Amino acid sequence: MKLRKETANPDASAGALHGRWYRDACGTAFALEVIGERWSLLVVRELMLGALRFSDIRAGLPSISAKVLTERLAGLERAGVLRRRRLDPPVAVQVYELTEWGYLAEPLIQELGRWAARSPLHDPTLPLSPVAFMLSLRTMLDDHASLDCDIGFVIAGQTFRARLAGGDMPVTREPVDGAGAVFRAPDAALLAARFYGDVPPRALPGLVIEGDVDLAQRFVGLFALPPKAG
Amino acid sequence: MKLRKETANPDASAGALHGRWYRDACGTAFALEVIGERWSLLVVRELMLGALRFSDIRAGLPSISAKVLTERLAGLERAGVLRRRRLDPPVAVQVYELTEWGYLAEPLIQELGRWAARSPLHDPTLPLSPVAFMLSLRTMLDDHASLDCDIGFVIAGQTFRARLAGGDMPVTREPVDGAGAVFRAPDAALLAARFYGDVPPRALPGLVIEGDVDLAQRFVGLFALPPKAG
DNA sequence: CAGAATCCCATTCGATACTG
DNA sequence: CAGTATCGAATGGGATTCTG
């Protein structure tokens, strides 16, 4: 009875501000106040490879509604995870981009992915956004990869570039001109089958590899899912 | 219209099973289906240092309701994160314990805590469970700690033991007899102030250090919060 | 104490329509 | 395209009660 009003915090409308749910000083709890709302972390995921417009985010998250996306963007902005920015006059469009702190959430997204992959239950046959796939490559890259290369990706019309050097592999949104090899696929699930499944390359119609095919093969060999937990 | 019925999955009642929310093959999304419901991950956190009874979990999570805890336990059990177990006849009590996969969630909890600590906003003055504090020590331990020691903790009546050796520091629920030093405090927040705040030891009434006080001092020096992000 | 069952209000969400 | 406004339906969750 006495605690009711504290819960219904007036300024907590639709927000990801702290203190609303858990009343717990633990950092984990604080993080969950910020990105623990449904969809929040997936919105962050979509922005992890660079700023995006409202509808580009929706494209990567086909089943989020405009209302929820609007609410999450507002909450994440207030929490300091992202900011909205107007591009300069010639294009005059609004984009959402992660703050410095927001970009620091990548290890967290990776850790979730790694943990999920070890589940005895995870069966991945659903759609996958291009960004989700590119991030998964960063997560599943063999720690001891000694290859250095520059690989292009064209997935559902979006282009990315992965530059592997010294065991590190930054991924950018960039044209693929000049890459050592290029993977082209109409959707990310196809690429996931190639990189993580036991599927032989020719069994994947729609997947095209250009440039140094042998390099592409060796590149694929650098990625593997972790073993399942008992 | 045509998709409505798929959403209202009959067996998805109150559960953390996959496919209900995101329809996304990304591992991060799958993990969020499992532990992304409110409270779920904090329940896992409470169990991270060993099996617990229903009311012990509630003690660590004072503002969760019995109903919600029941639902979360059921969901996490179905998802394979924890199992319920009846102890052998003499005690005949029921406990919840993480599965092997459940225990693998610790890095994930740590990553959330680490990220939260780097937030420009995080101000930790709320209550903290003993388990949350002990886990935070494992998270914030200096990577290059070269000290080897055996430290006991008595927090709000619960006893723990941290054995630091070779940079690794397992924490168990155990009596503190024979530890090199023992910290006693009526609540975890007091210990957090000592380990992470700039508070001089004598400004913390209620905190008692027994055994090798000098060792205890050096031990405290091994823990630090990461720098804030801009 | 450990939970299941019930009741009921508050929040959330998705669909749709609307606006600059 | 980038949202906002509204509404009805589903869900969430607190309080209470009941049982072993």
Side-chain angles (χ1 to χ4, degrees):
Chain A
M1 201 71 92
K2 59 285 296 268
L3 287 179
R4 187 86 53 80
K5 265 356 190 182
E6 296 177 39
T7 307
N9 187 324
D11 87 327
S13 54
L17 254 324
H18 50 275
R20 282 193 309 120
W21 300 330
Y22 302 127
R23 305 171 183 211
D24 188 320
C26 166
T28 305
F30 174 80
L32 291 172
E33 301 270 6
V34 174
I35 44 105
E37 251 176 333
R38 203 159 301 164
W39 290 108
S40 287
L41 195 58
L42 296 185
V43 172
V44 173
R45 178 194 78 186
E46 286 303 307
L47 295 175
M48 192 52 72
L49 259 20
L52 248 33
R53 292 180 305 178
F54 191 87
S55 34
D56 298 328
I57 302 175
R58 287 199 74 175
L61 261 20
S63 53
I64 197 174
S65 73
K67 173 183 181 172
V68 172
L69 180 53
T70 302
E71 288 169 0
R72 292 302 176 271
L73 288 170
L76 291 169
E77 182 175 21
R78 267 178 306 154
V81 177
L82 57 79
R83 70 174 72 90
R84 77 183 60 201
R85 193 158 55 94
R86 266 224 121 62
L87 259 36
D88 303 314
V91 272
V93 74
Q94 187 174 229
V95 296
Y96 298 87
E97 78 178 342
L98 296 182
T99 60
E100 187 193 339
W101 183 48
Y103 280 115
L104 290 176
E106 193 189 2
L108 198 153
I109 290 174
Q110 293 184 322
E111 208 55 64
L112 281 160
R114 220 171 263 130
W115 185 69
R118 307 201 52 171
S119 161
L121 285 78
H122 186 202
D123 163 45
T125 58
L126 294 152
L128 187 67
S129 85
V131 171
F133 173 73
M134 294 307 297
L135 288 175
S136 83
L137 288 185
R138 282 174 54 79
T139 304
M140 300 307 173
L141 174 63
D142 183 339
D143 277 341
H144 310 302
S146 60
L147 185 62
D148 283 15
C149 59
D150 178 357
I151 310 289
F153 291 83
V154 183
I155 313 172
Q158 299 183 47
T159 66
F160 300 93
R161 195 104 172 220
R163 294 173 208 272
L164 175 56
D168 190 31
M169 191 182 72
V171 171
T172 55
R173 292 180 185 276
E174 245 182 282
V176 296
D177 325 326
V182 178
F183 291 83
R184 289 179 191 272
D187 64 89
L190 210 57
L191 281 165
R194 177 72 188 93
F195 277 76
Y196 304 123
D198 286 335
V199 195
R202 62 214 63 225
L204 294 169
L207 173 60
V208 178
I209 299 175
E210 297 166 353
D212 185 340
V213 175
D214 182 60
L215 173 66
Q217 298 279 16
R218 276 179 294 144
F219 183 73
V220 169
L222 299 176
F223 304 88
L225 299 177
K228 299 286 178 187
Chain B
M1 203 69 93
K2 57 284 296 269
L3 287 179
R4 187 86 52 79
K5 265 348 184 190
E6 295 177 39
T7 307
N9 187 325
D11 86 327
S13 54
L17 254 324
H18 51 276
R20 280 193 309 121
W21 299 330
Y22 302 127
R23 304 168 182 214
D24 187 321
C26 167
T28 304
F30 175 80
L32 291 171
E33 302 271 4
V34 174
I35 44 105
E37 250 176 332
R38 202 161 301 164
W39 292 109
S40 287
L41 195 57
L42 296 185
V43 171
V44 173
R45 178 194 78 187
E46 286 303 306
L47 295 176
M48 192 53 72
L49 257 22
L52 247 33
R53 293 180 304 178
F54 191 89
S55 32
D56 297 328
I57 301 175
R58 286 199 75 175
L61 263 17
S63 52
I64 197 174
S65 73
K67 173 182 180 174
V68 172
L69 181 54
T70 302
E71 288 171 357
R72 293 302 175 272
L73 288 169
L76 291 169
E77 182 175 22
R78 268 179 306 153
V81 176
L82 57 80
R83 69 175 72 89
R84 77 184 61 198
R85 193 158 56 94
R86 269 226 118 64
L87 258 37
D88 302 315
V91 274
V93 74
Q94 186 175 230
V95 298
Y96 298 87
E97 77 178 341
L98 296 182
T99 60
E100 187 193 339
W101 182 49
Y103 280 114
L104 290 176
E106 193 189 3
L108 197 152
I109 290 174
Q110 294 183 321
E111 207 55 64
L112 281 160
R114 219 172 265 130
W115 184 68
R118 305 201 52 172
S119 161
L121 284 77
H122 187 203
D123 163 46
T125 58
L126 295 153
L128 188 67
S129 87
V131 171
F133 173 74
M134 295 306 297
L135 288 175
S136 83
L137 289 185
R138 281 173 55 77
T139 304
M140 300 305 174
L141 173 63
D142 182 338
D143 277 341
H144 310 303
S146 60
L147 185 64
D148 282 15
C149 60
D150 178 356
I151 309 290
F153 292 83
V154 184
I155 313 172
Q158 298 183 48
T159 66
F160 300 92
R161 194 101 173 224
R163 293 173 208 273
L164 175 56
D168 191 30
M169 191 182 71
V171 172
T172 56
R173 292 179 185 279
E174 244 182 284
V176 297
D177 325 325
V182 177
F183 291 83
R184 289 180 191 272
D187 63 89
L190 210 57
L191 281 166
R194 178 73 188 92
F195 277 76
Y196 304 123
D198 286 333
V199 195
R202 63 214 64 226
L204 294 170
L207 174 59
V208 177
I209 299 175
E210 295 167 355
D212 184 341
V213 175
D214 182 59
L215 174 66
Q217 297 279 17
R218 276 179 294 144
F219 183 72
V220 169
L222 300 176
F223 303 88
L225 299 177
K228 299 285 180 191

